[in-house]
């Protein structure tokens, strides 16, 4: 369906699988965190994402579901859009205030923005021939312009709507005068 060569198909599969592994690792860590007590929910609350328990569950479920779709190459622009939304919410709620660089001392935003940008790019390219979308002759919507639009609009728009609905940034402590 796509007319890609094996090298491109391999590269797209490799990218899908790697992003899936990374997101799944976060999801699995969150499962363990939720099971160990209210810490993750409390952390979401401290970021201004209320109710914290709901968001801990939703983020975890999302991080467990998206990898399946990515590995299989199923609804690829939507799966990457989900990654974009996760990363942009993390960027705005937690990482932006820490500056660009990611280090052991602080969680800068270089990582989450890089993953978001790459996810928009990869969602635009589609899954390639080695995917369920291709096997089912499911042309969702593998016109790169439409795929870009879907990935970017759903990812960025989803993050924006989520933040508008649920994010109430904590008030900054007065530094005193």
């Amino acid at each position: 369906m796509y007319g890609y060569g094996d090298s491109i198909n391999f590269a797209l599969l490799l990218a899908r699988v790697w992003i899936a592994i990374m997101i799944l690792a976060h999801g699995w860590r969150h499962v363990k965190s939720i099971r160990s007590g209210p810490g993750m929910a409390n952390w979401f609350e401290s970021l201004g994402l209320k109710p914290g328990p709901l968001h801990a569950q939703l983020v975890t479920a999302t991080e467990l579901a998206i990898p399946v779709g990515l590995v299989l190459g199923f609804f690829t622009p939507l799966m990457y859009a989900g990654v974009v939304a996760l990363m942009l919410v993390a960027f705005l709620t937690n990482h932006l205030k820490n500056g660009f660089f990611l280090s052991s001392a602080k969680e800068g935003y270089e990582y989450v923005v890089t993953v978001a940008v790459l996810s928009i790019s990869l969602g635009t390219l589609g899954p390639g021939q080695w995917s369920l979308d291709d096997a089912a002759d499911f042309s969702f919507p593998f016109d790169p312009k439409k795929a870009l639009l879907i990935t970017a609009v759903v990812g960025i728009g989803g993050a924006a709507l989520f933040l508008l609905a649920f994010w109430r940034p904590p008030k900054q402590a007065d530094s005193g005068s």
Side-chain angles (χ1 to χ4, degrees), residues 100-142:
F100 181 76
F101 293 104
L102 178 66
S103 69
S104 59
K106 62 180 185 167
E107 296 181 337
Y109 59 84
E110 69 178 305
Y111 166 77
V112 293
V113 171
T114 298
V115 173
V117 168
L118 289 175
S119 293
I120 291 171
S121 301
L122 291 166
T124 300
L125 294 175
Q129 290 174 307
W130 301 349
S131 66
L132 278 184
D133 286 342
D134 186 71
D137 199 26
F138 186 59
S139 57
F140 176 81
F142 295 110

Side-chain angles (χ1 to χ4, degrees), residues 1 7 15 40 86:
M1 177 161 115
S7 297
M40 186 173 164
L86 286 169

Side-chain angles (χ1 to χ4, degrees), residues 19-138:
I19 297 290
I21 289 169
M22 182 205 57
I23 296 298
L24 182 63
H26 282 273
W28 187 248
R29 185 173 67 172
H30 290 157
V31 166
K32 293 190 316 190
S33 178
I34 289 170
R35 287 181 179 167
S36 69
M40 186 173 164
N42 292 342
W43 179 67
F44 275 108
E45 292 262 347
S46 76
L47 295 174
L49 294 169
K50 298 178 182 187
L54 172 68
H55 297 301
Q57 293 288 336
L58 288 176
V59 165
T60 302
T62 301
E63 290 172 338
L64 296 175
I66 285 174
V68 175
L70 285 174
V71 167
L72 297 174
F74 189 62
F75 290 124
T76 305
L78 287 177
M79 295 300 112
Y80 278 121
V83 174
V84 170
L86 286 169
M87 295 300 112
L88 292 180
V89 169
F91 165 67
L92 290 169
T93 61
N94 186 47
H95 297 273
L96 179 61
K97 67 183 178 288
N98 297 320
F100 181 76
F101 293 104
L102 178 66
S103 69
S104 59
K106 62 180 185 167
E107 296 181 337
Y109 59 84
E110 69 178 305
Y111 166 77
V112 293
V113 171
T114 298
V115 173
V117 168
L118 289 175
S119 293
I120 291 171
S121 301
L122 291 166
T124 300
L125 294 175
Q129 290 174 307
W130 301 349
S131 66
L132 278 184
D133 286 342
D134 186 71
D137 199 26
F138 186 59

